[in-house]
Structures are given as C-alpha cells and as structure tokens.
Amino acid sequence: MDKNTKTSRRSFLKGSVALAGVSVAGAASAKEADPLITEVQEWASLTGAGVDETPYGLPISFEKDVVRRNVEWLTASPISSINFTPIHALDGTITPQGCAFERHHSGAIELRKEDYRLMINGLVDRPLVFNYSDLERFPRENHVYFCECAANTGMEWAGAQLNGAQFTHGMIHNMEYTGVPLRTLLNEAGLDAAGDLKNKWVYVEGADASSNGRSIPMEKALDDVLVAFKANGEALRMEHGYPVRLVVPGWEGNMWVKWLRRIEVTDMAVESREETSKYTDVYDDGTARKWTWVMDAKSVITSPSPQMPITHGQGPLVISGLAWSGHGKITRVDVSKDGGISWETARLGKQGDSKALTRFYLDTNWDGKPMLLQSRAMDETGYVQPTKNQLREVRGENAVYHNNCIQTWFVNENGVAENVEVS
Amino acid sequence: TRDGAFGLGRGAMPEEVAAWDVDVLPDGRGLPEGRGDVFTGDEVFAEKCASCHGDFAEGVDNWPVLAGGFDTLADKDPVKTVGSYWPYLSTVWDYVHRSMPFGEAQTLTADETYAIVAYILYSNDLVDDDFELSHENFAEFEMYNTDGFVIDDRPELEYSNWRTEPCMEDCKPSVEITMRATFLDVTPEGGGDSVM
C-alpha cells in the first residue's frame, strides 16, 4: 500500500464512522437501503494491517476515550496522586492493565528484575534475601482479586461532587494474579523465632522513596496474601509495581505494596505514616478508626452513567454494573430505577468470585421517563450495601476513606445521566 | 543445608538488614543514636522543608500542613497535622527520615532528623524553643492525640445491623433529589485530562 492510498483510506474511514453512527441509530426504521451494506466498503476489498505491524498492540483509535483520567485539584502533586480506571466504558470483570488506575506516593519507579531484591527479616529463624529468579522457583498460584483504593468514592462523602463513574468509583482494578503465597516465603525464613503467631505482624514496604510501609497481622499474612509478579498473564506494569507487588485480597489498596522490597516480622504494628496520618478514618466526634483494612460490599452502575448516556431512545436497555466485597463472594445485586422505592434483582454475568469484581446486568425496557438508578450489593456474609445516609449516621462526613454507599444516577428524559444524592 | 522447605534465597547479611530495616516502632525501638535541638531544626527545616511546608510548618499552597489544627477533629473541616492528629512521635521520625524531603528522600542524617522533628514539635507548641530531642528522651514524649484512635469497630457498629434481608417494595413513600454534582461543576472538562 503506498502513502497516498493510506491517506485516502484514513480520511475515508473518518467519514464512515459518522455515517455508521447515523445508520445504527436509524437501522430499525430505515427506508432506504444502507450503503454500508449495498456498497462494497474499502475494508472488504483492500487489505488491512500485516502481522508484522504491531508487536505489542494498543486499542483501536476509535476507543481512545477509554483511558485513565486524573483530577488535578485532588492532590498537590501528580507524583503523589491518583488516577481513575475508565470503568464506565469497560465490561466483564478483568481490567485491562494499560488503563487500570494508578496511585503512587513518590511516582512510578523503574526497577529492573536484575536489580530487584526482596528481604525477609525480623522475628524469623533465617533472615533471607531473594532475587527475582528465586521467586519464580517457588510454587505459584493464580487468583483474581479487586484492588480498591481506600479513598475510592472518598470525594463524595459530603455530597455529589464528581460527574462520572470513572471519577466516583474508578480507583479500582481487577486482575488475575500469578504469584507465591506470602506464607511460603515466611516459612522459608522460618517462623519459630516469632513464637506465638497470634500477636505477631508483618511490616511490608516498597523500594520507592515513599516506601509505603504497612503493618499486616500475621493471620492475614498466612492466609491469602500473595507476592505477585504477573497480572492478567503478563509481567506487572511499571506503574503497578514491576517486578513484584503484594496482593492483599479484600483489603484496602494502600496495603498492596508495590515494588515490594522488604517483609519484616514484628511483635507489634509499626504504626507507620500510612496507618496513622493516612488510612485512618475520622468520626464526627473527632476520634478515628484505625486498621480499617477490609473493603466492604459495594457496587455501581457503570452504564447508564454520566459518561455513558442513553443514546438509543426508548426500548430495550441494558443496565450494567460492577459489584464487589472484601468479605467474600457477591451473591446478589438489586437495582432500583426509582431512587430506592422499589428494587429488582439483577442477573450476575457469572457467579461471583471471592474478593473479586462481579458483573451484573438488569435487562430492562426504558419508557423514556426519568429514572433514579441505584444498585445495592449483597455478599456471602449477608451484608447489604448501605446508603450514604446510613454510613453518615455512624461515621459523619469526614471519614475520607471507605465510602461504599449506594450511588444514584439521575437519568433525564433525554437519556443524560447525572451524579445526585436523594432523600 | 538450611531448614527452609525449598532452600531458595540466601542469608541476609547484618549490614544489608541495617541498610534497609530502618523503621521505628511506637516504643522507640529502631531509633539510631543521635540528637537535635529546635534551633538546629529551624535551620535545617528552612533549607530542606519550608519551600513546601512553610517556614512554620503551616504548609504552602496544597502541600501538607504539619502544625496547628488542635481540637478541630470534630469540626466540619478538621485540620489533621502532626500536632493535632498523629498518635506517635516514632512515625514522624521514621517517615521524615525515610521518605522526606519529597524528591530527595533518604538524604537526612539521624541528627538532622532529630532536629527537624524537634522543630516540628516546637511549631506545634508542644515543646519550648530550647528543647532537644534525642534517642534517650524520645520514648518519654507523649503526642496530643495518642488516645484518639479506636481499632476498626465496623463489626459491632455496622455489620451487625446491616446483615439483614433488604426491602424490595414500597421502601419509602417518596424520593427527592437533594444534591447534584453538576451544581459544583468540578469534574474536569471533556471528562478529564487523559494521563496516558
């Protein structure tokens, strides 16, 4: 294909997109034959890209809006900041790594496998140093888990603030991890020196300047925590902790220490900055909860939502969303179209995995009238996702973290959706 | 041979553990020997910290405020600083020593860190201007909000109430919109800046 052909092909495609939009919307009532069908299209005649063109591909250009976004005013510096997964545009449960949210405290660092070291020390029989290839020689496991920032939805405590599911609920991703149970590594170092494990802790920290040190009780460390080096089949992305991160199923994302470099067995919690100044939740009487590790059951309707208006008019409508719980499996999601007066039980895309995102659908018929859409998750412990008012009654408005309230989208008669609170 | 099940990895050497294991526990364990007074801390702070945190640790622009905010935790907008909120002095020393200054972490000596911490305490009116902090008097110091924290009590206060069969029909008589995000208009234009 010569240069000129390429140019003309590109401009032709541009025109076709607009045309396709019209014909999709009008397909059911078309009076004239659709030229996209009756005329031979360029892609049905000429050739496409060769297999040698893209050794590692990115999404097609038409999907360029499905990207991470940030909100500048949230933080003082983009180096210690957050961005948001475009959950409004995704489906299923697995988050593509390339648009999975980031949260760093001193930036995303570049750490080669050759330079990687992991130390285990403290109350262990044999303080050890592993290099990366040592880790790949331990027996591995695969698990899918959500990683939700403790601050997800945190800007919404005092009211409806950001207009889009990406911004209100997008500090989350869900990946299939491959790694070694932390328990295996602790056993390699030997825990006899720690004595009674009941009141023991592991302190975990990263190789970056912020270190992000956190204390984890030994019971959790020996349960399901993973030292992971693959996500969604490939190496971790740099921004997600390459080459090794901690996976702490069901627990707040801050504890999922990236670029993991040290695990120390201790006889008390370190009470580091990230578990005193941050990741503690202030009540309205001024006292604060600490060690609020678990992320409670939560859900959000991803479409329709402010970034995903209804554009097809009345008739069949798929209401789609995500539900998850740090306590185990999602067993049920109810959806309301009238702001919580009445509820219908939605259909789960597939049976919920423990501590992982679960997709739900409500296949409904839209009559063109305004709706107040809500979703309400239930998990296998019987916990029912609360309203924001229920949460505020217990906690006030300054908790910052752990806002798992029911979200409301107001959808008007034009199908445009807005983030609102309701009585 | 070692006792480990797989025999992978190698023994960590004492100097390696010393290089990386620098955390300080609330009881002061992990602190190196050293000392620093408020006067010295003022100078070091002016040179290495004040461009973001202000001359008096009051914070510049959006950068964290380190001093003040006492008795505001129950207010509508609490001011959570080292003085008003942080429960342990160990955390201040540990965090400053390992992760500050922002962009130039792990450049402070033990004595500089003692001095900076002493200055932050002074900025919070918690010590006099002749105060000297050292590994010897560190554990005696009591922070203002040490007792301000409770261990996660969601199981008692929330889970016990919210594990019930939820209402499905006629759950409330009416519903009204009480707040709208578009009134605030703080969402980035065009759905936000792409950060790819």
Side-chain angles (χ1 to χ4, degrees):
Chain A
M1 199 185 285
D2 68 28
K3 214 177 168 186
N4 290 337
T5 322
K6 256 189 175 166
T7 315
S8 69
R9 179 169 168 254
R10 202 171 288 141
S11 49
F12 178 79
L13 282 175
K14 234 181 184 174
S16 311
V17 177
L19 196 64
V22 172
S23 77
V24 167
S29 59
K31 297 233 163 55
E32 285 171 27
D34 185 348
L36 279 166
I37 299 170
T38 58
E39 291 173 13
V40 176
Q41 300 299 306
E42 192 175 66
W43 56 80
S45 178
L46 306 179
T47 54
V51 295
D52 55 350
E53 197 159 296
T54 316
Y56 199 108
L58 286 171
I60 195 165
S61 60
F62 314 130
E63 298 295 317
K64 65 180 189 305
D65 286 342
V66 186
V67 290
R68 298 191 276 240
R69 292 186 170 85
N70 70 344
V71 176
E72 245 177 67
W73 57 262
L74 280 178
T75 52
S77 156
I79 304 296
S80 179
S81 194
I82 188 82
N83 62 31
F84 301 88
T85 304
I87 56 166
H88 62 288
L90 303 177
D91 210 320
T93 59
I94 295 295
T95 313
Q97 292 198 78
C99 64
F101 87 103
E102 304 167 69
R103 203 290 185 238
H104 318 302
H105 293 79
S106 50
I109 59 166
E110 208 170 347
L111 179 53
R112 300 190 315 158
K113 285 177 182 169
E114 292 83 346
D115 298 335
Y116 180 77
R117 300 290 184 273
L118 175 63
M119 181 184 290
I120 300 189
N121 75 308
L123 300 173
V124 294
D125 305 332
R126 297 170 293 279
L128 293 176
V129 171
F130 300 107
N131 56 30
Y132 179 80
S133 58
D134 292 331
L135 295 182
E136 286 200 332
R137 296 171 69 190
F138 286 101
R140 290 169 220 169
E141 293 183 6
N142 294 306
H143 298 278
V144 178
Y145 295 119
F146 73 80
C147 172
E148 183 185 18
C149 180
N152 200 21
T153 322
M155 299 84 75
E156 302 291 308
W157 269 114
Q161 186 152 227
L162 286 160
N163 211 25
Q166 177 169 22
F167 302 108
T168 57
H169 290 75
M171 297 180 192
I172 194 165
H173 56 59
N174 193 66
M175 301 190 192
E176 184 197 49
Y177 293 97
T178 300
V180 178
L182 176 54
R183 166 188 349 111
T184 303
L185 299 184
L186 289 170
N187 284 335
E188 191 71 12
L191 288 173
D192 290 344
D196 184 359
L197 296 179
K198 231 180 207 163
N199 54 3
K200 297 303 184 297
W201 298 74
V202 296
Y203 182 68
V204 286
E205 65 179 7
D208 62 318
S210 83
S211 104
N212 200 59
R214 287 292 309 250
S215 305
I216 299 176
M218 184 61 79
E219 188 185 7
K220 179 69 174 179
L222 295 176
D223 180 15
D224 56 3
V225 177
L226 277 184
V227 175
F229 38 81
K230 295 279 166 73
N232 294 349
E234 59 179 358
L236 299 171
R237 294 293 170 95
M238 171 181 79
E239 61 270 33
H240 297 139
Y242 180 93
V244 177
R245 84 171 308 163
L246 208 62
V247 167
V248 191
W251 287 22
E252 58 188 12
N254 177 259
M255 308 178 83
W256 295 47
V257 172
K258 297 185 286 189
W259 315 291
L260 179 70
R261 87 167 191 187
R262 197 171 67 88
I263 300 160
E264 178 185 359
V265 176
T266 59
D267 60 8
M268 67 189 291
V270 169
E271 303 270 10
S272 69
R273 186 253 196 181
E274 303 291 327
E275 56 205 19
T276 54
S277 169
K278 307 298 175 189
Y279 308 98
T280 50
D281 316 357
V282 177
Y283 283 137
D284 55 1
D285 71 355
T287 61
R289 284 176 177 163
K290 66 177 183 179
W291 304 347
T292 46
W293 299 310
V294 180
M295 302 305 290
D296 293 329
K298 185 166 171 178
S299 68
V300 65
I301 291 170
T302 51
S303 179
S305 65
Q307 295 155 290
M308 296 291 282
I310 303 171
T311 54
H312 55 57
Q314 299 177 23
L317 169 70
V318 174
I319 296 174
S320 174
L322 291 166
W324 61 96
S325 172
H327 295 281
K329 295 175 183 174
I330 289 294
T331 51
R332 183 174 126 191
V333 181
D334 298 328
V335 169
S336 174
K337 294 185 277 191
D338 55 17
I341 295 173
S342 65
W343 297 86
E344 297 169 70
T345 296
R347 174 171 64 85
L348 302 186
K350 68 181 183 71
Q351 200 191 346
D353 288 330
S354 187
K355 305 170 188 177
L357 291 190
T358 299
R359 174 63 58 177
F360 68 85
Y361 300 104
L362 185 74
D363 307 298
T364 190
N365 219 30
W366 187 43
D367 57 10
K369 291 193 181 118
M371 296 184 284
L372 288 166
L373 293 180
Q374 297 184 330
S375 62
R376 181 177 68 192
M378 291 175 66
D379 69 24
E380 64 179 325
T381 71
Y383 176 95
V384 181
Q385 183 184 0
T387 63
K388 203 188 284 186
N389 286 335
Q390 277 179 295
L391 286 170
R392 284 177 185 148
E393 272 172 34
V394 183
R395 306 184 196 170
E397 290 186 354
N398 288 322
V400 180
Y401 307 105
H402 293 282
N403 186 349
N404 66 318
C405 72
I406 289 172
Q407 172 67 45
T408 310
W409 305 128
F410 171 60
V411 182
N412 72 14
E413 62 274 12
N414 298 318
V416 173
E418 184 188 338
N419 176 12
V420 299
E421 278 188 19
V422 294
S423 55
Chain B
T1 60
R2 294 195 287 103
D3 296 339
F6 297 93
L8 291 168
R10 62 161 176 85
M13 296 171 195
E15 58 267 46
E16 292 173 330
V17 172
W20 276 8
D21 182 356
V22 292
D23 58 66
V24 181
L25 296 165
D27 60 15
R29 278 181 291 162
L31 279 172
E33 286 187 17
R35 58 191 64 246
D37 58 25
V38 169
F39 182 78
T40 310
D42 189 0
E43 288 187 331
V44 182
F45 196 88
E47 187 194 335
K48 303 193 172 188
C49 320
S51 62
C52 294
H53 294 295
D55 289 338
F56 307 100
E58 78 282 14
V60 174
D61 297 333
N62 253 345
W63 295 101
V65 181
L66 306 182
F70 288 89
D71 303 318
T72 64
L73 300 178
D75 292 358
K76 186 165 167 49
D77 294 306
V79 181
K80 297 188 278 181
T81 73
V82 171
S84 70
Y85 191 61
W86 291 37
Y88 303 108
L89 192 59
S90 56
T91 315
V92 191
W93 202 98
D94 175 77
Y95 182 70
V96 169
H97 183 238
R98 183 181 25 220
S99 298
M100 286 288 131
F102 190 60
E104 256 177 88
Q106 304 198 66
T107 58
L108 298 172
T109 65
D111 285 346
E112 283 174 328
T113 309
Y114 279 107
I116 288 172
V117 174
Y119 180 70
I120 293 172
L121 293 179
Y122 172 72
S123 300
N124 277 288
D125 295 324
L126 293 171
V127 296
D128 294 328
D129 60 4
D130 61 353
F131 178 73
E132 182 186 70
L133 184 66
S134 73
H135 62 281
E136 289 151 343
N137 68 1
F138 196 95
E140 294 161 23
F141 196 86
E142 275 184 37
M143 296 291 274
Y144 188 79
N145 195 41
T146 299
D147 299 327
F149 295 81
V150 296
I151 294 173
D152 186 3
D153 53 7
R154 284 176 293 176
E156 305 85 68
L157 294 184
E158 300 178 9
Y159 302 159
S160 54
N161 297 326
W162 297 345
R163 285 181 173 137
T164 54
E165 185 60 29
C167 173
M168 295 298 284
E169 287 292 336
D170 301 320
C171 301
K172 46 190 175 185
S174 65
V175 60
E176 271 170 48
I177 292 175
T178 54
M179 207 171 295
R180 309 178 67 152
T182 51
F183 286 4
L184 279 172
D185 200 24
V186 290
T187 310
E189 285 291 323
D193 302 319
S194 163
V195 292
M196 273 189 83

